[in-house]
């Protein structure tokens, strides 16, 4: 995915405010072998780009001063209530550098699984993205996860999915975290009928 950035010379609160008023978004690109550069982007183009999943999870081609470099979106700040991108950060990437990125999971097939189709289980997507480590060339836009094999009471873990070549999951100390849980539907429990009260023994008539 490609976008165009322009170099900016001025920085500071006032300069950034003037940029935003003119339909631009201030930003910065850093990392790699080059120095950090102050940049600006067209706000409308950036606003639409941020709505695309690929803009957040893939290597981007940034055109700046007639040259194209590989970058990753690292951070952006939004206005608290306006539809306005206040600032954006990009990081340059080198071909042989290992990246740590969060990649979205695309689930499919759960409606065809035994757990849903036959047993009417509830399927909960516990995790919708995972952190991976890989070189830029191996970074996937997303990871597809087939849920057609789900069974009642059996959760899907990280070790159950197939990763693209050259991609390793980072679990931060959790050996095999749950991605998808499968639970039986809630059933109404019928209240057991109350036991009849014991009859009091009849009082015998005493002899006079």
């Amino acid at each position: 995915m490609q976008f165009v950035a322009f170099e900016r010379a001025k920085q500071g609160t006032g300069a950034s405010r003037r940029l935003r008023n003119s339909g631009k978004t201030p930003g910065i690109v850093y990392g790699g072998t080059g120095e950090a550069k102050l940049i600006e982007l067209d706000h409308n183009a950036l606003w639409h780009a941020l709505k695309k999943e690929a803009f957040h999870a893939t290597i981007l081609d940034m055109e700046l001063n007639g040259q194209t470099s590989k970058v990753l979106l690292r951070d952006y700040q939004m206005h608290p209530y306006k539809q306005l991108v206040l600032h954006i950060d990009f990081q340059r990437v080198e071909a042989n550098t290992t990246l740590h990125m969060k990649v979205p999971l695309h689930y499919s097939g759960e409606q065809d699984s035994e757990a849903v189709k036959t047993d009417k289980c509830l399927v909960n997507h516990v995790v919708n993205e995972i952190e991976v480590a890989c070189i830029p060339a191996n970074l996937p836009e997303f990871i597809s996860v087939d849920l057609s094999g789900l069974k009642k009471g059996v959760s899907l873990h990280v070790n159950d999915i197939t990763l693209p070549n050259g991609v390793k999951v980072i679990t931060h100390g959790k050996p095999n975290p749950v991605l998808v849980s499968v639970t039986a539907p809630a059933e109404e429990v019928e209240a057991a009928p109350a036991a009849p009260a014991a009859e009091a023994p009849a009082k015998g008539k005493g002899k006079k």
Side-chain angles (χ1 to χ4, degrees), residues 12-152:
T13 304
S16 295
R17 187 185 303 113
R18 287 190 291 273
L19 268 180
R20 296 184 193 108
N21 289 339
S22 65
K24 305 289 184 181
T25 299
I28 188 170
V29 57
Y30 58 85
T33 56
E35 297 180 353
K37 283 188 178 293
L38 299 177
I39 58 173
E40 60 184 66
L41 293 83
D42 178 79
H43 182 271
N44 286 342
L46 176 61
W47 176 261
H48 291 293
L50 284 170
K51 294 181 179 180
K52 299 178 181 178
E53 187 178 73
F55 197 72
H56 297 259
T58 59
I59 306 296
L60 306 171
D61 292 318
M62 183 185 72
E63 183 183 331
L64 178 66
N65 295 332
Q67 296 183 340
T68 301
S69 55
K70 303 290 186 182
V71 299
L72 283 171
L73 171 63
R74 278 308 188 191
D75 194 19
Y76 64 98
Q77 292 82 46
M78 299 293 300
H79 192 279
Y81 56 87
K82 294 181 181 179
Q83 293 186 344
L84 182 66
V85 186
L86 298 177
H87 194 274
I88 192 160
D89 297 357
F90 296 97
Q91 178 188 352
R92 299 186 191 94
V93 296
E94 304 293 337
N96 58 353
T97 301
T98 299
L99 303 173
H100 285 233
M101 285 286 294
K102 288 185 177 180
V103 175
L105 299 175
H106 285 189
Y107 296 112
S108 63
E110 66 183 68
Q111 297 302 324
D112 299 322
S113 68
E114 177 184 315
V116 174
K117 203 170 184 178
T118 304
D119 297 317
K120 311 301 180 185
C121 292
L122 303 176
V123 176
N124 179 33
H125 299 169
V126 179
V127 175
N128 289 309
E129 63 180 14
I130 55 175
E131 185 175 345
V132 302
C134 62
I135 61 173
N138 292 335
L139 180 65
E141 181 178 339
F142 58 85
I143 296 175
S144 297
V145 182
D146 182 11
L147 301 181
S148 60
L150 290 179
K151 294 185 179 181
K152 182 179 179 179

Side-chain angles (χ1 to χ4, degrees), residues 144-162:
S144 297
V145 182
D146 182 11
L147 301 181
S148 60
L150 290 179
K151 294 185 179 181
K152 182 179 179 179
V154 181
S155 298
L156 184 80
H157 294 74
V158 163
N159 293 349
D160 299 326
I161 68 173
T162 301

